[in-house]
Amino acid sequence: MDLILKYLRLLNPILANDSYKLSHADQTPSDTSFTYSHLTPRSVKYMKRLFPSMEDKVIVYGTQMTMEIIADRWQVAFFDRPWDVIEKETLETLNPMLGTTTHDLRRFKKLHTLGYLPLRVKSIPEGSWVNANIPMMIVSNTHPDYAWLVNFLEPSILNTIYKPMSVATLTLELARLRNKYWGMTMPSDEGKEYFLHEFSYRGQAGHESAAATTSSYLLYTKGTDTMSGVQYARQYYSASSDVAASIPAFEHSTATTGIQYYKGVVEDYKQLNGNTDELAEKLGVSLRAAAEGMKAVLKVLEQMEDESQKDKDLAAGETFNLARVLIDVYPTGLVAYVSDSYDYQRLVSIIAPALKEVILARDGKFVIRPDSGNPVHVVCGDPEGATEAERKGSIEVLADAFGTITNAKGYKQLPPQIGLVYGDGISYDRLGQILEGLAQKGFAAANVCIAMGAYVLAGSTRDSLGFAIKASHTVVN
């Protein structure tokens, strides 16, 4: 089967539905000529369990996008295809399932002949922040023969719109929390639009869900790794080209490959009698990377005299690899490095400080990314931690090593060349705890970037805001 035809077959909008909808047209009087239905988020009680500070209000978002997606699906997978093909593939599914016959599809055949969806859609202006339990969108028919079509589309509308509207609403709460602490600890809004990031694509229920979710998230931030969300924002809302931004970032496989490759660097250095020029040639790095890398490696090893040889080799490999990355691969700009492959505390307490000169000499920012543990403890410190570094937390450890400036609000900021991003296990509560913990220690919110994942951004359901579409008016001639 041709791949395009296969895809169109799976998009068949008659089948993109609940089966009981097929019987509803016969259940109403045959002379029914008009249906007027409304989409309403009826309650915020479930979302409030995760966002207790939210008001009983909802952000209107996704109405235009939803109806355009549905209209496009009907156009390419229904109106633009021959009726006999649609009828055949529809009956292949529905006849064994429901006993559906050609006669039962007569309304769809007539709609196919009409050539368009005879609907009128009204919406509260998108971006509005309105009370829950108020209709956000109205759908009605414009042709008297298609009153049945309005509520036939109910499931498709609901499963397309609930996610963007829910995420827009909950992201407002994240942004309000961000704004509170940013305003408290930072003298200007510069950089605030990048404080909230998101890594939720892989945890979403498919490509379309991820794209719609991120387009909602981008109402309040410019940080995302979900490229399809940028597409949606531009396609359906004509967003500007700078609607979002991200940076190069390591995953564990790329970090550990470098660490393992360079873990024998000390032995290589010894065999070459400390000749960094020859070391650079052997390992395929620049002369500066070899020299700065070995200088940092030796500093690190001085602090690991009592450690095992295995740990020393891993530390040497990570240190040298980072020197290569910061000098040869990303000499300028931002780069994020996942830092917990082997020993996070060693990275933040020993390795990064050993590379201080390299980091501060860059025209850019080196962003450390812890990816395990309790986010609040990792960032702000754990009073019951086993080591001083764990008790202090990453921001204080980095401040001790790299110094800080005190901004006009009286809060400390790390140098612009070093920072931290956390995107694992973040929730609304933990976001607040991180920001409050930093503020209590005298640190500004700008010292970190917080990325949301699927726990927050993919966790909403239709029940989160109680979405429903109900007919409130019909006309029978």
Side-chain angles (χ1 to χ4, degrees):
M1 182 185 294
D2 182 277
L3 286 177
I4 294 178
L5 294 179
K6 176 183 177 182
Y7 183 68
L8 291 175
R9 179 185 178 92
L10 293 173
L11 283 178
N12 183 331
I14 300 175
L15 302 176
N17 214 319
D18 294 325
S19 62
Y20 85 138
K21 285 292 179 181
L22 295 165
S23 62
H24 290 176
D26 291 328
Q27 295 168 10
T28 55
S30 59
D31 290 336
T32 303
S33 61
F34 183 73
T35 301
Y36 185 92
S37 292
H38 56 84
L39 167 80
T40 306
R42 297 169 294 179
S43 172
V44 302
K45 67 178 182 180
Y46 293 118
M47 188 172 284
K48 263 194 168 182
R49 293 177 182 177
L50 296 177
F51 302 88
S53 65
M54 72 179 292
E55 299 180 37
D56 293 342
K57 290 187 173 184
V58 175
I59 291 291
V60 181
Y61 178 74
T63 54
Q64 175 176 308
M65 175 170 63
T66 293
M67 296 313 299
E68 190 170 341
I69 288 171
I70 289 173
D72 289 346
R73 181 187 299 154
W74 278 85
Q75 189 63 50
V76 301
F78 184 78
F79 295 117
D80 289 349
R81 302 169 68 209
W83 169 251
D84 60 337
V85 173
I86 297 170
E87 181 182 60
K88 180 176 181 295
E89 70 185 29
T90 302
L91 289 176
E92 285 176 353
T93 296
L94 295 184
N95 181 263
M97 181 181 178
L98 297 169
T100 303
T101 65
T102 297
H103 176 74
D104 296 323
L105 298 180
R106 65 194 183 279
R107 294 183 180 87
F108 295 104
K109 182 177 181 179
K110 185 176 180 180
L111 176 63
H112 189 272
T113 301
L114 183 67
Y116 67 95
L117 294 175
L119 300 172
R120 176 179 289 115
V121 181
K122 302 177 184 179
S123 171
I124 291 177
E126 296 203 49
S128 301
W129 192 36
V130 300
N131 291 333
N133 210 28
I134 288 178
M136 306 294 179
M137 186 171 77
I138 303 296
V139 183
S140 60
N141 58 296
T142 59
H143 188 299
D145 291 345
Y146 298 96
W148 61 270
L149 182 61
V150 174
N151 269 27
F152 180 80
L153 294 180
E154 172 203 356
S156 295
I157 294 173
L158 283 173
N159 75 8
T160 306
I161 201 169
Y162 85 78
K163 179 74 73 167
M165 199 173 293
S166 297
V167 172
T169 301
L170 69 83
T171 304
L172 171 62
E173 298 308 308
L174 298 172
R176 293 172 75 189
L177 191 56
R178 171 202 63 190
N179 294 348
K180 172 185 174 181
Y181 285 95
W182 197 277
M184 177 194 305
T185 66
M186 290 294 294
S188 75
D189 284 344
E190 182 180 358
K192 183 175 76 170
E193 67 271 32
Y194 301 109
F195 173 81
L196 288 173
H197 203 85
E198 69 94 10
F199 301 147
S200 72
Y201 184 89
R202 67 191 58 192
Q204 295 285 351
H207 177 79
E208 292 81 6
S209 177
T213 292
T214 295
S215 73
S216 310
Y217 195 70
L218 293 176
L219 293 172
Y220 301 100
T221 181
K222 289 188 173 184
T224 182
D225 265 26
T226 304
M227 297 175 283
S228 57
V230 179
Q231 275 188 308
Y232 267 46
R234 299 193 69 184
Q235 173 70 33
Y236 297 115
Y237 293 98
S238 301
S240 62
S241 59
D242 66 345
V243 67
S246 191
I247 65 174
F250 279 71
E251 68 176 17
H252 287 97
S253 71
T254 56
T256 54
T257 298
I259 294 169
Q260 290 291 336
Y261 183 75
Y262 294 111
K263 70 180 181 181
V265 67
V266 174
E267 187 61 29
D268 292 335
Y269 184 65
K270 289 178 180 178
Q271 290 177 359
L272 296 171
N273 298 315
N275 189 318
T276 53
D277 288 4
E278 293 182 15
L279 183 68
E281 183 177 357
K282 179 176 181 177
L283 297 179
V285 301
S286 68
L287 294 177
R288 181 171 174 243
E292 295 289 352
M294 282 312 304
K295 183 167 69 172
V297 166
L298 295 175
K299 287 181 181 178
V300 168
L301 295 181
E302 285 178 1
Q303 301 178 64
M304 296 183 63
E305 291 183 358
D306 298 329
E307 302 293 328
S308 69
Q309 189 59 48
K310 177 183 177 181
D311 286 340
K312 289 178 181 178
D313 289 344
L314 291 173
E318 187 155 29
T319 304
F320 192 86
N321 186 48
L322 273 176
R324 175 189 70 89
V325 167
L326 295 172
I327 294 170
D328 292 352
V329 184
Y330 300 108
T332 61
L334 289 87
V335 59
Y337 178 75
V338 64
S339 309
D340 64 345
S341 296
Y342 294 107
D343 189 327
Y344 173 73
Q345 292 300 338
R346 180 170 67 212
L347 182 285
V348 75
S349 304
I350 301 175
I351 295 176
L355 289 164
K356 177 179 178 179
E357 293 179 8
V358 173
I359 292 170
L360 294 182
R362 291 182 72 248
D363 179 17
K365 177 178 279 192
F366 174 53
V367 183
I368 295 172
R369 179 166 75 90
D371 197 45
S372 54
N374 183 310
V376 182
H377 291 165
V378 173
V379 177
C380 302
D382 178 4
E384 299 180 1
T387 66
E388 183 181 11
E390 291 175 352
R391 292 188 289 274
K392 285 184 173 182
S394 299
I395 296 302
E396 187 174 348
V397 169
L398 291 174
D400 290 343
F402 289 86
T404 61
I405 62 167
T406 301
N407 65 30
K409 288 288 186 76
Y411 288 85
K412 293 175 287 188
Q413 292 180 242
L414 294 169
Q417 297 90 348
I418 185 77
L420 187 138
V421 59
Y422 209 112
D424 176 72
I426 299 295
S427 63
Y428 176 81
D429 289 340
R430 282 177 164 175
L431 172 62
Q433 291 165 16
I434 288 169
L435 289 169
E436 178 63 24
L438 288 176
Q440 288 185 5
K441 299 183 91 171
F443 289 105
N447 288 298
V448 297
C449 170
I450 300 296
M452 295 294 154
Y455 176 77
V456 172
L457 298 182
S460 56
T461 70
R462 184 172 73 90
D463 294 321
S464 296
L465 293 173
F467 283 102
I469 293 177
K470 300 296 181 182
S472 58
H473 177 65
T474 59
V475 173
V476 180
N477 294 335

